């Protein structure tokens, strides 16, 4: 009695008719369940833990929570390897807990968005356990099986997590494809059975009453013709070329089928996509194409580790705005469970942590698009620096370390490289309190808590009107009050300084000017002519006609 299947048809969900563009006004909060709140002292976050923090999220002004996967999983990739789409992993709780979360969230006007991972399953999924047994049978075509080529892998593709994308299976005498870990075999979307099974599963969750999905790694459903890649080979002799298999017409056709089901339920869908060019981005979220409401680019134009700069970020914001301003919509985020902490990457997580975290918050809350907040961002949580690779849990981090060693790097250098990109930076437990376990757990946390929880935590942030958290609350309140900030048009101003962002939001009878200093130095700026009133700023002063902006200073001004 603990699966969604047994509940089909028995749940009443109160989803009142939504206006056409309802998703544009949402304030979405991403929860990484393992690290959010542990209710039973086993060191792992869980559903009752999330329920206990709904009041906190409501007060923050959140309209929707997106849960990273909570389904049964052996956790090679922390839940993104699903072994049973219909059951909640007992570590997180029961289906009754999820019902309670759904109802308590809905009672507060908060939507429940689940992760939908259908590029691959876990190798522990029943479909795969059957599929690997023989070339005939109900599930034999559920995965991508190929004969060896000259006694080796069918082609030279590398997996995203390093090594070959193919794994040999003795039982079938064939290789199966896994674009991620070998424990994550890719589904064969050419199989009628896969389509039927997945579509039915989606319906069961919608019938259960979830409000929509964040659709994982969705650009690669149709893999094309399996030709060798001409990209450079990695240290193990394989080529990573996700672009070659991304965004194919076959993939878009399947997404349309998925979204048609979602539309029947008036449900939300944001796709995680791999885009090569901006028109690819628009193809996923233009209204005409009837696919996603918005898309999360896997490597978003404005989130690039190592290569980002304020100038590039500015260019990318403008370009993606121009591409979709008439048809399409933006998911706004700077961090998630796959990225470093935003204040560490784009801001300054030491001297100017508070100012820069607020400045980044202002950027996300004042751009057109739907803002996504990743847990802990609202208190300015930072990257973690573990002393050894053994402290890291993430499969991608460990693979990056291994690859660096294979390339001849020293252990120290390999650790430095792996730590900088580590997804564990975002996955350290939420810091609720200045006490042992950070108020996250009374037990031993599954991943070591960032040592700075003594000073960076929710409890102290709530008590401080000048905290990053208070700033988020105020910004969200302003955004909710001002249709201009949510739906108005945008125009960037040429400031002659890469590090000064100045853009207007216009419409609904108002004009706002956002002014941000993206650097840790003083910068001069003159306001456009007119009478400007400061709505909110991260300093304690109002804007002057001509002024020197302090490091990471940020203003939201309104034309009077
Ligand atoms: C997505 C997820 C990531 C996961 C990968 C494979 O990119 O965000 O965490 O490892 O897909 O499912
Ligand atoms: Ca727990």
């Amino acid at each position: 009695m603990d699966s969604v299947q047994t509940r089909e048809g028995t749940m009443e969900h109160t989803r009142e008719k939504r206006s056409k563009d309802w998703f544009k006004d949402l304030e979405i909060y991403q929860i990484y369940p393992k690290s959010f709140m542990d209710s039973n002292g086993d060191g792992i976050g869980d559903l009752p833990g999330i329920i206990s923090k709904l009041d906190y999220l409501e007060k923050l002004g959140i309209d929707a929570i997106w849960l990273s996967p909570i389904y049964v999983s052996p956790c090679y990739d922390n839940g993104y390897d699903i072994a049973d789409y219909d059951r909640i992993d007992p570590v997180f709780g029961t289906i009754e807990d999820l019902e309670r979360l759904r109802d308590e969230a809905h009672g507060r006007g908060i939507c429940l968005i689940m992760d939908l991972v259908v590029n691959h399953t876990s190798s522990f999924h029943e479909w795969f356990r059957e599929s690997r047994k023989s070339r005939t049978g109900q599930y034999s075509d559920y995965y991508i099986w190929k004969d060896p080529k000259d006694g080796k892998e069918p082609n030279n593709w590398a997996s995203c997590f390093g090594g070959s994308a193919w794994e040999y299976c003795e039982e079938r005498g064939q290789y199966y494809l896994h674009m991620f870990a070998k424990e994550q075999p890719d589904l064969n979307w050419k199989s009628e059975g896969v389509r039927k099974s997945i579509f039915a599963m989606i319906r069961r969750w919608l019938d259960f009453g979830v409000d929509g999905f964040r659709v994982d790694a969705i650009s690669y459903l149709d893999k094309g013709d399996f030709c060798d890649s001409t990209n450079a080979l990695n240290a193990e002799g394989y080529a990573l070329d996700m672009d070659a298999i991304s965004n194919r017409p076959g993939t878009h056709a399947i997404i349309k089928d998925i979204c048609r089901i979602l539309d029947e339920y008036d449900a939300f869908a944001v796709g995680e996509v791999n885009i090569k060019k901006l028109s690819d981005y628009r193809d996923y979220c233009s209204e005409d194409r009837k696919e996603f409401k918005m898309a999360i680019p896997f490597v978003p134009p404005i989130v690039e580790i190592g290569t980002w700069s304020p100038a590039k970020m500015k260019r990318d914001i403008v370009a993606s705005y121009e591409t979709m301003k008439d048809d399409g919509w933006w998911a706004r985020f700077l961090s998630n469970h796959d990225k470093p902490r935003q204040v560490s990457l784009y801001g300054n997580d030491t001297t100017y942590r508070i100012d820069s975290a607020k400045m980044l918050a202002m950027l996300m809350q004042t751009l057109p698009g739907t803002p996504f907040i990743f847990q802990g961002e609202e208190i300015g949580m930072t990257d973690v620096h573990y002393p050894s690779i053994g402290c890291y849990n993430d499969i991608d981090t460990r693979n990056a370390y291994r690859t660096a060693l294979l390339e001849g790097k020293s252990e120290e250098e390999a650790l430095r490289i792996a730590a900088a990109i580590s997804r564990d930076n975002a996955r350290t437990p939420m810091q609720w309190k200045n006490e042992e376990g950070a108020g996250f757990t009374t037990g031993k946390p599954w991943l070591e808590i960032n040592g700075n929880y003594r000073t960076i935590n929710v409890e102290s942030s709530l008590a401080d009107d000048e905290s990053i958290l208070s700033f988020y609350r105020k910004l969200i309140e302003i955004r909710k009050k001002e249709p201009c900030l949510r739906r108005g048009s945008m125009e960037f101003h040429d400031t002659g300084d890469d590090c000064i962002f100045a853009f207007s939001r216009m419409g609904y009878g108002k004009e706002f000017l956002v002014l941000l200093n993206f650097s840790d130095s003083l910068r001069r700026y003159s306001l456009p002519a007119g009478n400007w009133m400061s709505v909110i700023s991260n300093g304690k002063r109002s804007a002057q006609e001509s002024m020197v902006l302090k490091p990471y200073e940020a203003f939201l001004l309104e034309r009077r």
Side-chain angles (χ1 to χ4, degrees):
M1 277 297 286
D2 65 340
S3 93
V4 60
Q5 204 155 10
T6 58
R7 304 264 151 180
E8 193 184 352
T10 65
M11 294 326 303
E12 283 218 326
H13 53 85
T14 52
R15 197 187 281 119
E16 66 264 32
K17 201 75 195 142
R18 294 170 164 149
S19 70
K20 183 169 146 281
D21 286 341
W22 67 287
F23 58 89
K24 294 187 175 170
D25 295 329
L26 296 177
E27 193 73 50
I28 301 179
Y29 188 92
Q30 183 191 352
I31 292 180
Y32 197 68
K34 256 187 126 166
S35 301
F36 191 60
M37 180 65 203
D38 173 25
S39 71
N40 61 355
D42 66 357
I44 303 175
D46 45 51
L47 292 171
I50 298 174
I51 295 169
S52 72
K53 297 297 181 188
L54 284 174
D55 284 339
Y56 165 74
L57 296 174
E58 187 185 6
K59 284 197 192 104
L60 183 56
I62 297 306
D63 305 300
I65 49 176
W66 147 30
L67 307 186
S68 280
I70 51 168
Y71 317 95
V72 169
S73 167
C75 262
Y76 284 87
D77 188 18
N78 264 328
Y80 282 92
D81 46 328
I82 297 173
D84 187 339
Y85 285 109
D86 288 294
R87 280 169 206 276
I88 303 304
D89 198 295
V91 89
F92 294 121
T94 62
I95 193 80
E96 284 78 15
D97 292 325
L98 188 66
E99 284 171 8
R100 204 152 61 81
L101 174 59
R102 173 201 61 198
D103 295 344
E104 298 238 358
H106 286 169
R108 289 170 176 81
I110 296 176
C111 298
L112 176 61
I113 296 167
M114 302 277 272
D115 225 298
L116 183 68
V117 188
V118 293
N119 175 71
H120 46 268
T121 70
S122 158
S123 54
F124 290 74
H125 195 291
E126 193 205 333
W127 300 340
F128 189 75
R129 283 190 280 132
E130 289 301 318
S131 192
R132 66 179 304 151
K133 282 187 191 155
S134 82
R135 301 186 188 201
T136 55
Q138 193 186 347
Y139 300 108
S140 58
D141 70 343
Y142 266 46
Y143 296 86
I144 299 172
W145 295 99
K146 297 264 184 237
D147 291 331
K149 199 170 116 196
D150 307 327
K152 292 211 313 250
E153 291 92 354
N155 66 27
N156 69 356
W157 292 0
S159 119
C160 281
F161 290 157
S164 167
W166 297 96
E167 183 73 12
Y168 188 66
C169 168
E170 293 284 345
E171 287 154 287
R172 273 182 74 136
Q174 282 184 309
Y175 283 92
Y176 68 85
L177 181 75
H178 60 89
M179 294 314 302
F180 295 91
K182 70 178 193 314
E183 294 82 7
Q184 293 169 296
D186 281 52
L187 283 164
N188 171 23
W189 275 89
K190 297 218 156 64
S191 152
E192 203 41 48
V194 164
R195 301 164 66 92
K196 275 205 183 123
S197 303
I198 298 288
F199 294 164
M201 176 272 287
I202 291 172
R203 283 187 188 279
R204 285 195 295 277
W205 281 110
L206 291 165
D207 286 330
F208 173 86
V210 306
D211 299 279
F213 299 99
R214 174 269 188 186
V215 188
D216 185 69
I218 199 69
S219 298
Y220 330 111
L221 301 184
D222 171 4
K223 265 86 182 171
D225 53 15
F226 296 93
C227 288
D228 273 335
S229 167
T230 51
N231 271 6
L233 302 182
N234 65 19
E236 290 152 291
Y238 304 102
L240 184 61
D241 192 356
M242 297 308 272
D243 286 350
I245 58 166
S246 295
N247 314 328
R248 303 177 60 83
T251 295
H252 280 286
I254 301 162
I255 292 173
K256 282 192 168 58
D257 288 343
I258 293 176
C259 291
R260 205 169 298 129
I261 301 175
L262 294 172
D263 279 345
E264 279 177 41
Y265 291 78
D266 229 332
F268 174 84
V270 53
E272 187 208 26
V273 300
N274 177 42
I275 57 168
K276 282 180 273 185
K277 48 188 191 311
L278 286 167
S279 59
D280 294 338
Y281 194 179
R282 187 185 47 215
D283 284 349
Y284 283 107
C285 29
S286 110
E287 259 183 55
D288 281 355
R289 293 176 59 105
K290 301 205 167 7
E291 296 188 23
F292 297 121
K293 306 285 187 218
M294 59 191 83
I296 294 177
F298 186 65
V299 180
I302 57 173
V303 182
E304 280 169 283
I305 303 163
T307 62
W308 89 279
S309 68
K312 179 165 189 311
M313 185 185 275
K314 213 190 273 192
R315 272 199 309 276
D316 289 342
I317 291 172
V318 173
S320 68
Y321 178 72
E322 290 302 325
T323 309
M324 298 203 290
K325 66 177 179 197
D326 299 320
D327 187 12
W329 195 251
W330 311 263
R332 289 290 172 202
F333 67 100
L334 288 173
S335 45
N336 61 35
H337 65 292
D338 294 331
K339 311 277 175 228
R341 287 284 174 182
Q342 65 191 48
V343 70
S344 300
L345 183 56
Y346 306 109
N348 173 316
D349 66 6
T350 53
T351 323
Y352 298 110
R353 186 182 68 88
I354 295 178
D355 286 331
S356 63
K358 289 179 179 174
M359 186 276 285
L360 295 170
M362 183 168 314
L363 176 64
M364 288 297 104
Q365 297 293 333
T366 56
L367 283 174
T370 299
F372 285 64
I373 297 171
F374 178 67
Q375 67 180 45
E377 166 194 327
E378 76 277 21
I379 55 167
M381 279 176 65
T382 66
D383 280 357
V384 71
H385 302 282
Y386 293 134
S388 73
I389 191 68
C391 301
Y392 287 88
N393 168 281
D394 171 32
I395 183 170
D396 191 40
T397 312
R398 285 188 268 114
N399 286 333
Y401 181 79
R402 194 174 51 96
T403 304
L405 291 182
L406 279 173
E407 283 167 357
K409 306 269 183 342
S410 69
E411 284 183 13
E412 200 186 345
E413 182 66 358
L415 182 62
R416 206 188 52 73
I417 293 169
I421 56 111
S422 179
R423 306 191 297 181
D424 284 337
N425 286 314
R427 299 177 182 185
T428 60
M430 185 70 184
Q431 297 165 201
W432 295 102
K433 288 183 183 160
N434 172 13
E435 65 179 39
E436 191 73 30
F440 162 72
T441 184
T442 53
K444 184 174 161 14
W446 72 277
L447 182 67
E448 220 178 291
I449 296 169
N450 193 319
N452 59 21
Y453 71 91
R454 295 273 174 204
T455 48
I456 304 175
N457 59 66
V458 170
E459 194 175 54
S460 64
S461 308
L462 284 172
D464 174 6
D465 197 43
E466 300 295 322
S467 67
I468 299 167
L469 180 61
S470 301
F471 196 73
Y472 266 84
R473 275 192 183 173
K474 289 175 205 159
L475 275 174
I476 293 171
E477 216 179 284
I478 295 166
R479 185 182 176 88
K480 279 196 194 307
K481 217 177 68 201
E482 298 292 352
C484 172
L485 290 176
R486 302 194 307 274
R487 309 279 190 108
S489 63
M490 180 186 83
E491 192 188 313
F492 258 72
H493 302 288
D494 182 5
T495 60
D497 179 343
D498 286 346
C499 289
I500 299 292
F501 284 35
F503 58 93
S504 301
R505 298 297 312 275
M506 288 156 300
Y508 300 85
K510 295 227 170 174
E511 180 178 348
F512 291 95
L513 178 70
V514 181
L515 197 55
L516 313 170
N517 180 356
F518 241 100
S519 81
D520 54 11
S521 55
L522 300 169
R523 304 276 166 151
R524 177 163 293 286
Y525 181 75
S526 302
L527 291 182
N531 185 7
W532 296 96
M533 178 192 84
S534 179
V535 181
I536 183 170
S537 77
N538 63 357
K540 286 198 190 76
R541 57 181 192 142
S542 42
Q544 315 293 311
E545 225 166 277
S546 169
M547 65 175 165
V548 174
L549 288 168
K550 295 182 183 155
Y552 297 105
E553 200 163 25
F555 289 97
L556 174 62
L557 307 168
E558 185 181 343
R559 192 188 282 280
R560 282 278 120 149

Short mmCIF file of all heavy atoms in Angstrom, two decimals, residues 37-46 91, ligand 2:
data_model
loop_
_atom_site.label_atom_id
_atom_site.label_comp_id
_atom_site.label_asym_id
_atom_site.label_seq_id
_atom_site.Cartn_x
_atom_site.Cartn_y
_atom_site.Cartn_z
N MET A 37 16.08 18.60 5.39
CA MET A 37 15.77 18.51 6.82
C MET A 37 15.51 17.07 7.20
O MET A 37 14.66 16.41 6.61
CB MET A 37 14.53 19.38 7.12
CG MET A 37 14.10 19.36 8.57
SD MET A 37 15.37 20.10 9.63
CE MET A 37 14.98 19.34 11.19
N ASP A 38 16.25 16.60 8.19
CA ASP A 38 16.13 15.21 8.65
C ASP A 38 15.24 15.17 9.89
O ASP A 38 15.55 15.79 10.90
CB ASP A 38 17.53 14.68 8.97
CG ASP A 38 17.50 13.31 9.62
OD1 ASP A 38 16.52 12.58 9.42
OD2 ASP A 38 18.48 12.99 10.33
N SER A 39 14.14 14.40 9.81
CA SER A 39 13.21 14.39 10.95
C SER A 39 13.47 13.26 11.94
O SER A 39 12.99 13.28 13.05
CB SER A 39 11.77 14.26 10.44
OG SER A 39 11.55 12.95 9.93
N ASN A 40 14.23 12.23 11.51
CA ASN A 40 14.33 11.05 12.39
C ASN A 40 15.76 10.69 12.80
O ASN A 40 16.01 9.58 13.27
CB ASN A 40 13.64 9.84 11.73
CG ASN A 40 14.30 9.49 10.40
OD1 ASN A 40 15.20 10.19 9.94
ND2 ASN A 40 13.86 8.41 9.80
N GLY A 41 16.68 11.61 12.58
CA GLY A 41 18.03 11.40 13.11
C GLY A 41 18.88 10.37 12.38
O GLY A 41 19.94 9.98 12.87
N ASP A 42 18.46 9.95 11.15
CA ASP A 42 19.32 9.02 10.42
C ASP A 42 20.33 9.75 9.54
O ASP A 42 21.07 9.13 8.77
CB ASP A 42 18.49 8.02 9.59
CG ASP A 42 17.71 8.70 8.46
OD1 ASP A 42 17.76 9.95 8.35
OD2 ASP A 42 17.04 7.99 7.69
N GLY A 43 20.33 11.07 9.65
CA GLY A 43 21.34 11.85 8.91
C GLY A 43 20.96 12.17 7.48
O GLY A 43 21.72 12.79 6.74
N ILE A 44 19.75 11.74 7.08
CA ILE A 44 19.29 11.98 5.70
C ILE A 44 17.98 12.76 5.74
O ILE A 44 17.04 12.38 6.46
CB ILE A 44 19.08 10.63 4.97
CG1 ILE A 44 20.38 9.81 4.98
CG2 ILE A 44 18.59 10.86 3.54
CD1 ILE A 44 20.25 8.43 4.39
N GLY A 45 17.91 13.80 4.97
CA GLY A 45 16.68 14.60 4.91
C GLY A 45 15.51 13.74 4.44
O GLY A 45 15.71 12.74 3.76
N ASP A 46 14.29 14.14 4.79
CA ASP A 46 13.14 13.30 4.45
C ASP A 46 11.88 14.15 4.31
O ASP A 46 11.89 15.37 4.54
CB ASP A 46 12.94 12.22 5.53
CG ASP A 46 13.08 12.79 6.94
OD1 ASP A 46 12.41 13.81 7.21
OD2 ASP A 46 13.85 12.25 7.75
N VAL A 91 13.82 5.79 2.66
CA VAL A 91 14.68 6.72 3.39
C VAL A 91 14.02 8.10 3.50
O VAL A 91 14.24 8.85 4.45
CB VAL A 91 16.08 6.76 2.71
CG1 VAL A 91 16.15 7.81 1.62
CG2 VAL A 91 17.17 6.99 3.74
CA1 LIG B 2 15.77 11.04 7.84
#
